[in-house]
Amino acid sequence: MIEGMKVLSFSHFVQGPAASQYLADLGADVTKVEPFGGAWERRAGSAGIRLGDTSVTFLSVNRNKKSIAVDLKHPDALRVLRPLIGTCDVLMENYRGGALEKLGLGYEAVREIKPDIIYASATGWGSSGPMAGKPGVDLLVQARSGLISVTGDAREGATAAGTPVADHHGAALLAMGVLAAYVRKLATGRGTRVQSSLLGAGLDLQAESLALYYSGGKGQDDVRRPGSLAAWFIDPPYGVYRLLDAHAVIALSGAMDDFAAALGSAELAAFDQEARRTRREEYTALLARTLAGWTYRDLAERLEPRGFWIERVATYDDVRNDPQVAEEGLLMEMPVGDTHATVLNHPIRYDGRLPELRTPPPELGEHTRPALREAGFGDAEIDDLIASGVVASRENGAPRS
């Protein structure tokens, strides 16, 4: 779909690599620039989980890309990178603020090489202000953005989301920004500086919640809620409840006709919508006690025929075996040596089809030599660059993934 786009990616951890993977899935020619030891997610990754010598974190965010290994601190690094920048549409990076400037790869320097460049930066906190340049990772952003304070029951202990949601949402927003800039470039020939942040992503996840809180003149007492409820601004029973054999969610809050009758509870029937809102702790506790003796099958048989929305809380094992997930093709089996990794597929269909896996995540330096050839370097010159330690390639002993 965007096969004409060329991206040079200086990205590590999750947010930046995931953003460039979205573009690579859509057909962009993405070249990942890595240090000789490999990017963080290749070297370490999360939880130490590896398949053979390969980090599974790396596998999850680097498919359909190329890899070149460059010592960015080498005095001849720019000699290698200038021709590559000159042929690309997009430079993506998520280094700490100021890091690329020190290496001669800041926005103004790159724009001198490529005036119509799309220069896309993802930071933790933004490009200015008191937090600019400070370490910004998902959990810190969940805290500072208020997300943790509205997750779980704040009175008994706030809790983080169970996965780095700001990282992954930030990746999607960065990719969206690059795509918007690319449309502009195709229409006008002009480049764009795209700047996103994890802080912005963390707040964007709460767009409705924040608008209701500020515009509604709410305070901390309004945000407090029973632990079973899923959101402070949605009336019960919208939330998660423990049953005899599972947890279940009930996703309704407006018209509750027949709900109490379906459960056979005169006590619940005594609460109208206003009472559920003003006495939500009392109502939620009563509903939790009522459902504690039910099985999921019993609950579904009572509620689903009447049009009430419920769902069993799935484990990751359940997700893997979910026929709907399989029908949508949302999990992918990726070959890794003589085994395979299970990773998330690209989550969007285009004309009814998911983008194909063109290439598995690259080995470190796998494309150094062909990328430099494409940029105009001759074989003898590439040999000299390898020998002098500016670049490394797979065949000259670059560390393998």
Side-chain angles (χ1 to χ4, degrees):
M1 297 180 68
I2 53 172
E3 284 77 5
M5 179 193 286
K6 293 191 69 172
V7 180
L8 198 61
S9 175
F10 297 81
S11 300
H12 56 169
F13 293 96
V14 172
Q15 180 193 19
S20 58
Q21 179 173 269
Y22 286 132
L23 301 177
D25 286 348
L26 296 178
D29 182 352
V30 177
T31 299
K32 183 178 180 68
V33 181
E34 301 187 67
F36 284 10
W40 173 86
E41 77 276 12
R42 182 193 290 275
R43 290 183 289 103
S46 299
I49 298 175
R50 307 179 75 83
L51 288 178
D53 294 330
T54 304
S55 160
V56 173
T57 299
F58 181 81
L59 295 174
S60 71
V61 291
N62 283 291
R63 63 173 171 258
N64 294 328
K65 301 180 188 178
K66 302 172 182 175
S67 168
I68 65 172
V70 182
D71 180 358
L72 296 181
K73 296 181 180 179
H74 194 286
D76 286 336
L78 290 179
R79 174 187 166 199
V80 172
L81 293 171
R82 282 193 189 100
L84 295 172
I85 292 169
T87 63
C88 73
D89 300 293
V90 182
L91 186 150
M92 294 183 73
E93 61 94 10
N94 70 323
Y95 280 47
R96 193 181 300 184
L100 285 190
E101 280 80 359
K102 293 176 183 177
L103 298 171
L105 292 167
Y107 173 60
E108 295 299 337
V110 169
R111 195 167 64 158
E112 288 184 10
I113 302 169
K114 180 76 169 169
D116 62 349
I117 193 71
I118 297 169
Y119 192 102
S121 298
T123 61
W125 304 109
S127 57
S128 61
M131 295 294 289
K134 293 187 176 181
V137 297
D138 181 277
L139 188 59
L140 300 180
V141 167
Q142 284 195 44
R144 196 176 180 102
S145 69
L147 182 59
I148 287 178
S149 75
V150 295
T151 303
D153 185 349
R155 288 168 298 182
E156 297 182 5
T159 183
T163 189
V165 291
D167 269 347
H168 291 281
H169 187 53
L173 292 178
L174 180 61
M176 180 180 72
V178 169
L179 289 172
Y182 190 57
V183 170
R184 178 192 192 188
K185 180 176 180 177
L186 293 176
T188 68
R190 295 172 57 191
T192 305
R193 186 170 191 184
V194 177
Q195 296 168 286
S196 70
S197 69
L198 283 178
L199 178 60
L203 292 170
D204 191 65
L205 285 166
Q206 305 170 79
E208 181 188 15
S209 180
L210 289 167
L212 291 169
Y213 185 89
Y214 296 136
S215 303
K218 300 298 183 180
Q220 282 303 299
D221 286 342
D222 299 298
V223 173
R224 291 173 180 160
R225 59 188 169 86
S228 293
L229 295 189
W232 68 268
F233 55 88
I234 302 180
D235 296 335
Y238 188 89
V240 185
Y241 299 89
R242 180 187 292 275
L243 309 178
L244 279 175
D245 59 347
H247 282 80
V249 297
I250 301 175
L252 70 155
S253 61
M256 295 285 290
D257 297 341
D258 297 334
F259 180 77
L263 298 180
S265 173
E267 292 177 283
L268 291 171
F271 288 77
D272 60 14
Q273 183 172 0
E274 181 63 23
R276 284 188 288 112
R277 179 174 298 151
T278 58
R279 298 160 55 198
R280 60 180 178 173
E281 292 194 20
E282 182 183 348
Y283 179 88
T284 303
L286 174 60
L287 178 58
R289 290 195 301 271
T290 301
L291 296 181
W294 290 59
T295 65
Y296 183 81
R297 180 178 178 179
D298 290 339
L299 187 65
E301 288 177 349
R302 290 289 189 95
L303 295 183
E304 287 182 343
R306 299 178 185 236
F308 295 119
W309 300 343
I310 69 168
E311 187 59 70
R312 184 192 297 267
V313 173
T315 66
Y316 277 6
D317 291 334
D318 297 328
V319 170
R320 184 166 191 166
N321 297 306
D322 189 324
Q324 187 62 36
V325 173
E327 175 66 25
E328 288 293 298
L330 293 173
L331 293 177
M332 170 191 294
E333 299 297 313
M334 179 185 294
V336 183
D338 58 358
T339 184
H340 65 271
T342 302
V343 298
L344 186 68
N345 206 342
H346 187 87
I348 302 172
R349 288 180 176 268
Y350 306 89
D351 294 328
R353 300 181 63 184
L354 293 169
E356 295 180 358
L357 173 66
R358 302 190 308 280
T359 60
E363 296 188 37
L364 178 59
E366 179 178 350
H367 303 95
T368 296
R369 189 176 287 276
L372 293 183
R373 281 198 198 103
E374 186 178 340
F377 291 90
D379 284 341
E381 194 174 8
I382 296 172
D383 289 339
D384 179 64
L385 291 170
I386 291 172
S388 64
V390 187
V391 299
S393 65
R394 184 178 59 176
E395 70 269 22
N396 83 304
R400 298 172 71 89
S401 62

